[in-house]
Amino acid sequence: NLRSAVTGTRPKFDLKTIDGAITALKSPAINTRYLGFMALKRHGEKAVPALEKMLSDPSANRFVTARAIWLLPHLGKSGRAICEMLLNNKRDPQVRIAAYRAFRRAGQDILPYAAKLATDTDTGVRRDVALSMRDLPADKTKSIFITLAKNLEVDDKNALEAFGLGAANKENEIWLALKDASEQRWTERGLKITWRLGASASVPDLLNLAQSKEATGEQRAFAIEALAFINDKSAANAMLTLCDNPLTKKDATYWLFR
């Protein structure tokens, strides 16, 4: 294997000083910037003014700036306060995402921040909120999913998938919460969310919708397709029921034998 290296003098920095640690943090070398990160973490709140200066520099490399954001939650109350301010950054959604991820990585309670960002105008921010709910229990996240669902762009496959991944292993609880919170369950948004969640709790409602003479053809087809993807015995029984119904026999048979 061939290796290339830049010739010249190695950069000098003193990790015992804040300026030296900042220099190390800006390094393109992973091991060097890690040393800078840990040194600044040891400096604590005394390092906050230097990081603020990095953040306010309009000419700064945005990836280097992100390292400063990543560090803030580790620097006491003043560091966390600045990171919270960045959640309100109106100019760049990537800054809001970085600040949110920084809190999450630092082991902070992210639920208050998730509730705030669940109404964010940017799809990417809301997507990150949804994904971050994955390992948190339903009783603490139901209200956040209800808020996310109201603005979910269901035609954006990444946004819909993030919503489903965030609800993993608590699909029934989330779907029932959404059902209780919405009077218009079978809109396009409601159908696609139900399809992605694949909750066994939705089987009776989907079966009723598929058999309803008031349902549109599109609603009926989507309900049958949603049932086809639910990995539960109740869904299989529902499909068999639909195979005996002249109204739904064609679509149900198609999915049953596919």
Side-chain angles (χ1 to χ4, degrees):
N1 293 334
L2 297 177
R3 292 185 179 183
S4 60
V6 177
T7 60
T9 306
R10 292 182 180 179
K12 295 180 180 180
F13 48 82
D14 182 359
L15 294 175
K16 294 181 180 179
T17 68
I18 291 175
D19 287 344
I22 290 288
T23 299
L25 185 68
K26 293 179 178 180
S27 172
I30 295 175
N31 59 323
T32 303
R33 63 176 182 253
Y34 172 77
L35 292 174
F37 185 98
M38 297 306 292
L40 289 165
K41 189 175 177 181
R42 289 193 295 272
H43 283 295
E45 291 192 67
K46 291 184 292 184
V48 170
L51 293 176
E52 281 189 284
K53 186 177 180 180
M54 283 181 63
L55 292 169
S56 62
D57 182 359
S59 63
N61 182 301
R62 65 184 310 192
F63 297 104
V64 173
T65 300
R67 298 173 198 170
I69 298 173
W70 210 246
L71 185 57
L72 287 171
H74 299 278
L75 302 181
K77 290 183 179 180
S78 59
R80 290 193 293 272
I82 294 172
C83 201
E84 287 181 5
M85 289 175 58
L86 294 175
L87 294 174
N88 297 315
N89 183 290
K90 301 297 182 184
R91 292 177 297 176
D92 190 351
Q94 292 299 318
V95 170
R96 301 197 293 275
I97 291 174
Y100 182 68
R101 289 180 178 177
F103 275 125
R104 185 183 177 195
R105 182 60 181 266
Q108 300 290 320
D109 178 11
I110 61 169
L111 288 173
Y113 307 127
K116 175 182 176 62
L117 294 178
T119 59
D120 197 277
T121 56
D122 184 77
T123 301
V125 174
R126 299 196 304 273
R127 187 170 62 231
D128 218 69
V129 171
L131 286 169
S132 69
M133 299 293 100
R134 184 177 177 88
D135 296 320
L136 298 175
D139 61 330
K140 292 184 178 181
T141 58
K142 285 187 291 188
S143 61
I144 294 172
F145 276 106
I146 290 170
T147 301
L148 288 169
K150 291 177 181 177
N151 299 304
L152 184 62
E153 297 176 356
V154 292
D155 290 327
D156 180 341
K157 64 180 183 180
N158 292 320
L160 185 60
E161 181 63 13
F163 189 92
L165 289 172
N169 302 316
K170 48 182 178 285
E171 293 91 346
N172 284 336
E173 295 93 329
I174 298 304
W175 188 84
L176 289 170
L178 295 175
K179 174 184 175 181
D180 292 340
S182 175
E183 296 178 357
Q184 298 179 326
R185 186 161 65 260
W186 300 133
T187 59
E188 180 187 9
R189 176 180 285 118
L191 277 167
K192 288 187 176 181
I193 289 174
T194 298
W195 172 85
R196 175 54 187 87
L197 289 178
S200 60
S202 66
V203 168
D205 292 72
L206 287 169
L207 179 59
N208 289 337
L209 176 63
Q211 295 183 114
S212 173
K213 293 182 179 180
E214 296 179 1
T216 65
E218 185 178 0
Q219 286 177 321
R220 183 174 296 109
F222 220 106
I224 295 171
E225 182 177 335
L227 283 168
F229 282 93
I230 296 175
N231 186 20
D232 190 82
K233 183 179 179 180
S234 62
N237 289 333
M239 292 295 280
L240 291 173
T241 298
L242 293 175
C243 285
D244 289 333
N245 187 328
L247 188 64
T248 56
K249 182 177 181 178
K250 181 179 178 180
D251 285 343
T253 303
Y254 168 81
W255 284 107
L256 194 64
F257 289 100
R258 186 174 179 178

